Amino acid sequence: WGWLAAAWLVFASAPGRSLIVVAARAVLLRRLRPGRYPRRGWLLCRIWFLERLAELCRLDNLAGTPWAARYARWCGHQVGHGARLGTLPPATSLVSVGAGATIEADVDMHGWWIEGDELLVGRIHVGAGVRLGARSLLMPGCEIQDGAEIEPGTVVTGVVPGGVRWSGAPGAQVGQAGERWPALRPPAPRRRRLWRVMYAVGVLGQSLVPLLAAAPGIALVLVFAPAVWGAQSVAVEMLTLAPLLATSFVVTYAVLVALLARSLSPLIRPGWQADEGATAWALWFTEALMAASREVLFPLYSSVFTRRWLALAGVPVGRRTELSTAVGMNRLTSFAQTSFAADDVVLACARARDGWLHVAPVEVGSRSFLGNGAILLDETRIEDDSLVGVLTVAPRTSKSGSSWLGAPALELPRRAEPGDPARTTHPSRLLVVGRTLTELIRILLPASMSAGLAALVFWSLDSIGASDGVWVMAAAAPIVLSAAGVAATILTITIKWVVIGRYRPGEHPLWSWFVWRDEIINSAQEQLAGSWLLNTALGTPLMALYLRLMGAKVGRNVWCETLTITEFDLARLGDNCAINRNSVVETHLFHDRMMRIGPATVGAGATLGPSAAMLPDTEIGEGCSVGGRSIVMRGERLPAHTRWHGAPVVAA
């Protein structure tokens, strides 16, 4: 028990994990400096290692807490007094944050990216009193002077003058900072010390939820326990009960998250208030729970069970609405009937600045579509029959039937191309039953295989420890875990070829056997190959090997730091190209509930910047560079050796 307690303090507790990352940074990046470095150099190896280590240590739950600034200072960043960090500055970056600055969630402050054959590293300076909106991207070398305001989804390059408000991709001045904010300081929140303590409770609670979710499975193992205990007998029992263990864990985890979110929802009150009170804490904790659920319960999203689960969590969702892994869902975010939200839509119902927190509803009307990575701000109402495209910051007000794309959003003419209603919005009872059964397989198959792999890892390590001692077991652990990761990846590859075969261009309605099988592949990639190996292998040659085995055409020396490549056979990545973090090689669109599949080609030596997206039927020419949070529109061909930036892209 002493060894277990010590191991928990070092590897599982938030302070222990923080110290691991801080120590690794001090050793590996103590002398990090701005500049241009060879892509295939020792510096990128160190940056890659520290990035993956920080992800494994899962410190994101410290973002938004009173200890976020302290952790950032431990990592060597300069953080002024009273700065509020809803995003942790990465351990691999060079960041300074002024006093009283407010950084909202999911801001990219890495300060480095891969362009062609070079690693670009730059300092990032955020001045005093600055507000950085959610999902903004700060490019290397940018400087935001005191008092400036950066709206959500903005790409910042160069220098932002003090006291102005910027928006767009790339960013440009759209007004003066503080135009929509109170002039006075916020009132002091009641029971401030209590809510600071509640952040510690919340961090502990997040670690307890998966343990509580595992309790029914542990009870199941004990009920069916063999008469004579041993590692082999327990492992065999876990393998036999893997489907039941997976079912009990998924169901219990989903119910726990939903009930916790629902019980805290009354604390989320709309209006103006201080950012240190009950509402701020409830928003932070519920989103932390939902963020974890997007990983653990990934197959539950975009399924026939999503709406009922969200209703249990207190999120209003109308009938026949399809929801993927949306960010920021709570009782103030609502979807009317027959709407569709693709992956990673952001419902930013709260914004913060100078100690103020403003919370307002976000509403999506009937029969509306939200594309991948779209951002909906507080007080936004998407009217009926509307479309908000990929990576688009939606306008707060718009008329019914309108379509929007980009940042700032441009209204586009669009003619809807609906398919057969019986296959898109009004399926028959037989189709509902068929999809339900298929999605049960999608939810339970990867989880059951993962439980079986965990049992085999336990059996192997215990057997080694029993025969050769604990130190040999510790030395063998990386080998055993790597073998399990390879096995999980091979299982994913096998599932792809057995279930779907080869992807081809075409169209498929939402309620079709093809789409349901495609979702099985996505879930296997996330739950098996992703969680066991590929999330750690991003940016390594293993990614290129995996994509080739899944059917993609991948050249030599490819840097691929994303898993958002789905219809693999239609993706072509040329020699020496760079696919940066969080970028999307999109080979399908889902407008009007029709899945339209087409090829996407990245030429030799080309670059797709951080969080950028290329849509189907596009080609990025040889040596071409596409900047961060840019959108390459469907059917576009970008010439070789040119530079592009923007949403949608224009010549840079």
Side-chain angles (χ1 to χ4, degrees):
W1 286 107
W3 281 106
L4 287 174
W8 183 88
L9 287 171
V10 174
F11 298 110
S13 70
R17 287 179 280 126
S18 300
L19 291 174
I20 290 174
V21 175
V22 170
R25 189 192 192 280
V27 172
L28 295 175
L29 294 180
R30 179 191 296 270
R31 298 177 181 176
L32 181 63
R33 297 290 184 271
R36 291 176 174 267
Y37 299 89
R39 179 171 126 186
R40 286 177 286 276
W42 174 231
L43 177 59
L44 183 56
C45 290
R46 289 179 285 154
I47 287 177
W48 170 86
F49 178 83
L50 195 55
E51 284 279 339
R52 302 288 88 83
L53 178 66
E55 290 171 4
L56 285 173
C57 288
R58 297 184 176 275
L59 296 172
D60 286 344
N61 58 358
L62 293 179
T65 70
W67 311 289
R70 182 174 300 175
Y71 167 77
R73 294 186 190 105
W74 286 354
C75 285
H77 305 299
Q78 299 175 6
V79 181
H81 176 73
R84 294 163 169 82
L85 305 184
T87 303
L88 295 179
T92 57
S93 62
L94 298 169
V95 176
S96 62
V97 180
T102 301
I103 300 176
E104 294 181 355
D106 297 325
V107 174
D108 189 327
M109 295 182 287
H110 284 77
W112 65 269
W113 68 306
I114 305 295
E115 186 176 26
D117 284 328
E118 291 185 317
L119 163 67
L120 276 65
V121 179
R123 294 188 184 276
I124 291 175
H125 174 72
V126 179
V130 166
R131 177 212 173 200
L132 278 179
R135 291 294 173 99
S136 50
L137 168 61
L138 310 187
M139 296 301 287
C142 73
E143 177 184 353
I144 306 172
Q145 296 180 351
D146 295 353
E149 184 174 359
I150 308 299
E151 293 286 358
T154 301
V155 178
V156 182
T157 57
V159 179
V160 179
V164 302
R165 182 164 61 91
W166 269 36
S167 182
Q173 184 174 347
V174 294
Q176 296 299 311
E179 288 176 329
R180 301 178 64 245
W181 295 87
L184 301 177
R185 299 291 300 173
R190 294 186 300 171
R191 298 188 292 272
R192 175 184 293 179
R193 291 184 178 179
L194 169 64
W195 293 112
R196 289 180 68 88
V197 172
M198 288 299 292
Y199 281 101
V201 174
V203 170
L204 179 62
Q206 291 173 51
S207 62
L208 289 178
V209 169
L211 295 178
L212 293 174
I218 295 172
L220 197 63
V221 170
L222 293 175
V223 168
F224 292 96
V228 180
W229 279 83
Q232 180 177 349
S233 58
V234 171
V236 170
E237 182 187 359
M238 290 174 65
L239 283 169
T240 305
L241 299 176
L244 290 177
L245 295 176
T247 302
S248 67
F249 181 83
V250 169
V251 171
T252 307
Y253 193 99
V255 171
L256 282 173
V257 169
L259 293 181
L260 279 170
R262 189 184 190 95
S263 65
L264 297 174
S265 62
L267 296 176
I268 302 176
R269 301 187 304 273
W272 293 99
Q273 51 209 289
D275 66 355
E276 294 182 312
T279 297
W281 179 84
L283 283 169
W284 166 80
F285 186 59
T286 54
E287 177 51 30
L289 290 173
M290 298 300 281
S293 77
R294 291 192 290 272
E295 295 184 18
V296 179
L297 303 177
F298 178 82
L300 186 63
Y301 290 88
S302 297
S303 73
V304 293
F305 309 105
T306 311
R307 187 176 69 86
R308 291 178 175 82
W309 176 64
L310 290 175
L312 181 62
V315 181
V317 179
R319 294 182 65 245
R320 301 193 186 95
T321 285
E322 300 281 340
L323 288 178
S324 189
T325 53
V327 177
M329 288 188 291
N330 56 58
R331 74 179 187 91
L332 297 182
T333 59
S334 61
F335 291 81
Q337 296 185 10
T338 326
S339 288
F340 192 108
D343 292 336
D344 203 34
V345 169
V346 179
L347 307 172
C349 67
R351 55 190 170 100
R353 181 177 185 266
D354 286 342
W356 282 104
L357 178 69
H358 182 251
V359 183
V362 174
E363 302 176 24
V364 180
S366 298
R367 301 175 301 281
S368 292
F369 174 87
L370 308 178
N372 296 53
I375 300 175
L376 278 62
L377 307 176
D378 55 313
E379 299 179 324
T380 293
R381 162 71 188 181
I382 303 298
E383 298 294 341
D384 298 346
D385 301 299
S386 297
L387 180 146
V388 179
V390 58
L391 295 181
T392 296
V393 181
R396 283 187 165 89
T397 58
S398 59
K399 61 181 183 295
S400 297
S402 58
S403 299
W404 302 88
L405 179 76
L410 304 173
E411 186 172 4
L412 301 177
R414 184 181 73 95
R415 181 174 61 86
E417 300 177 3
D420 179 5
R423 290 281 184 167
T424 56
T425 56
H426 295 79
S428 66
R429 183 171 298 179
L430 181 62
L431 285 174
V432 173
V433 172
R435 181 178 173 185
T436 301
L437 294 175
T438 307
E439 288 181 342
L440 284 173
I441 296 173
R442 172 164 76 100
I443 293 171
L444 297 179
L445 178 64
S448 300
M449 289 182 170
S450 189
L453 282 172
L456 291 174
V457 168
F458 164 72
W459 182 7
S460 301
L461 291 177
D462 188 84
S463 300
I464 294 171
S467 61
D468 300 307
V470 67
W471 295 111
V472 176
M473 180 182 71
I479 300 172
V480 173
L481 288 170
S482 297
V486 171
T489 305
I490 292 173
L491 286 171
T492 301
I493 295 167
T494 303
I495 291 171
K496 185 266 182 182
W497 289 106
V498 170
V499 171
I500 209 80
R502 189 174 294 280
Y503 287 100
R504 292 178 174 84
E507 294 187 358
H508 306 274
L510 173 65
W511 291 84
S512 67
W513 175 230
F514 178 89
V515 171
W516 305 340
R517 287 181 292 148
D518 181 59
E519 291 293 349
I520 293 176
I521 309 305
N522 293 337
S523 296
Q525 177 171 274
E526 291 288 334
Q527 302 289 97
L528 282 172
S531 61
W532 279 93
L533 179 63
L534 295 183
N535 289 336
T536 310
L538 292 175
T540 72
L542 286 175
M543 274 300 301
L545 176 61
Y546 168 74
L547 292 173
R548 291 188 193 106
L549 293 174
M550 293 292 271
K553 294 179 174 60
V554 182
R556 296 173 300 170
N557 300 321
V558 168
W559 173 274
C560 184
E561 203 178 355
T562 182
L563 275 176
T564 49
I565 299 175
T566 49
E567 289 73 36
F568 307 92
D569 305 279
L570 301 176
R572 297 174 178 85
L573 309 181
D575 294 345
N576 299 304
C577 72
I579 312 297
N580 279 272
R581 60 184 175 274
N582 301 324
S583 57
V584 181
V585 180
E586 187 71 85
T587 48
H588 74 265
L589 292 174
F590 237 126
H591 298 165
D592 307 313
R593 301 197 173 206
M594 293 292 296
M595 185 181 189
R596 296 175 173 89
I597 302 175
T601 301
V602 181
T607 299
L608 189 62
S611 302
M614 58 184 301
L615 303 185
D617 303 314
T618 57
E619 181 178 346
I620 299 176
E622 180 180 342
C624 184
S625 178
V626 178
R629 285 195 69 85
S630 296
I631 306 172
V632 183
M633 295 287 288
R634 186 178 185 183
E636 286 190 314
R637 303 287 189 270
L638 303 186
H641 305 292
T642 55
R643 299 177 64 86
W644 301 81
H645 194 191
V649 291
V650 295

